[in-house]
């Protein structure tokens, strides 16, 4: 996990240096302090997909390049075989598998996401990003909080929402939840 943070941080630093963008500008874009952003570039903290999405959109680079270090090549179609999507782990309790990493110039980013339960009493912070999001639960139960509204999704349930509204997701019943998430 920490190794992926280091790799993502190095890609962010390289992008910023190539584009000659001050670190403070990227920190402001991500709504975090310069110190927090510098920790991301050093690979010391979770970069968060929502922050990576903001950076990718602002600087016109594919989200895959930031997350996985590879440029997509396909433009007619792209097949992701079961358990073969490119993976990135955020923290030890949050894993993403890209379902379209090889497709160029996508209008949306589909992921298979697994969220492990947190220790009793712990909660994730909310985040927000441009666009809209779709989630469909495949296994387990997912608690999705959008602003102050809490929604519980069971296996087979789905939701489409405005992702500019602060939101966070939690696994329920002390079991990992698996869901498809499409961010666009």
């Amino acid at each position: 996990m920490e190794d992926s943070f280091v790799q993502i941080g190095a890609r962010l630093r390289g992008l910023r240096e190539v584009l000659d963008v001050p670190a403070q500008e990227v920190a402001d874009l991500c709504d975090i302090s310069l110190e927090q952003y510098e920790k991301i570039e050093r690979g010391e903290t979770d970069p968060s997909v929502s922050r990576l999405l903001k950076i990718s959109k602002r600087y016109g680079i594919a989200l895959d390049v930031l997350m996985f270090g590879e440029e997509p090549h396909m433009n007619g179609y792209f097949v992701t075989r079961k358990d073969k999507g490119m993976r990135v782990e955020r923290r030890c309790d949050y894993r993403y598998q890209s379902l379209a990493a090889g497709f160029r110039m996508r209008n949306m980013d589909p992921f298979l996401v697994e969220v492990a339960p947190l220790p009793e009493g712990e909660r994730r912070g909310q985040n927000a990003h441009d666009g809209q999001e779709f989630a469909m639960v495949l296994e387990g139960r997912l608690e999705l909080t959008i602003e102050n509204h809490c929604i519980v999704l069971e296996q087979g349930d789905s939701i489409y929402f405005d992702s500019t509204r602060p939101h966070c997701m939690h696994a329920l019943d002390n079991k990992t939840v698996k869901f498809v998430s499409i961010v666009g």
Side-chain angles (χ1 to χ4, degrees):
M1 173 186 60
E2 288 83 16
D3 189 44
S4 68
F5 289 1
V6 171
Q7 292 171 4
I8 291 170
R11 286 190 285 274
L12 288 170
R13 185 175 49 259
L15 171 68
R16 189 177 57 72
E17 289 172 354
V18 164
L19 296 177
D20 196 28
V21 176
Q24 184 65 58
E25 181 179 315
V26 184
D28 292 345
L29 173 69
C30 295
D31 296 319
I32 57 176
S33 70
L34 177 59
E35 293 76 22
Q36 287 175 295
Y37 179 73
E38 288 172 339
K39 283 184 176 183
I40 291 171
E41 279 196 1
R42 290 191 303 267
E44 297 173 3
T45 190
D46 177 7
S48 100
V49 173
S50 62
R51 288 184 185 120
L52 294 176
L53 187 61
K54 285 180 182 180
I55 293 168
S56 72
K57 286 183 178 182
R58 170 63 178 86
Y59 298 108
I61 188 166
L63 180 61
D64 300 52
V65 173
L66 294 179
M67 290 180 73
F68 309 115
E70 293 190 22
E71 184 73 43
H73 300 289
M74 302 299 290
N75 59 9
Y77 66 90
F78 182 78
V79 175
T80 301
R81 300 290 180 197
K82 182 179 178 180
D83 298 325
K84 300 295 181 187
M86 298 182 86
R87 294 180 181 270
V88 66
E89 291 189 20
R90 291 183 46 217
R91 306 183 297 257
C92 58
D93 60 339
Y94 224 93
R95 289 189 307 245
Y96 284 86
Q97 180 182 357
S98 176
L99 300 177
F103 195 87
R104 292 177 16 169
M105 300 179 64
R106 291 186 308 279
N107 294 325
M108 59 186 132
D109 288 292
F111 297 97
L112 181 60
V113 183
E114 291 182 28
V115 178
L118 292 174
E120 189 68 34
E122 279 190 39
R123 304 293 290 173
R124 287 183 184 87
Q126 292 188 333
N127 65 58
H129 50 87
D130 289 340
Q132 299 169 341
E133 194 164 333
F134 170 84
M136 181 174 183
V137 177
L138 303 175
E139 296 174 12
R141 295 175 65 228
L142 177 70
E143 178 186 275
L144 172 63
T145 303
I146 303 172
E147 294 176 327
N148 295 320
H149 190 72
C150 183
I151 304 153
V152 174
L153 300 173
E154 308 278 341
Q155 183 176 343
D157 291 348
S158 64
I159 188 167
Y160 191 98
F161 62 97
D162 176 355
S163 52
T164 64
R165 297 173 184 265
H167 59 280
C168 61
M169 299 174 179
H170 299 276
L172 295 176
D173 306 324
N174 206 28
K175 295 180 181 173
T176 297
V177 64
K178 185 186 270 187
F179 60 97
V180 171
S181 176
I182 301 172
V183 181

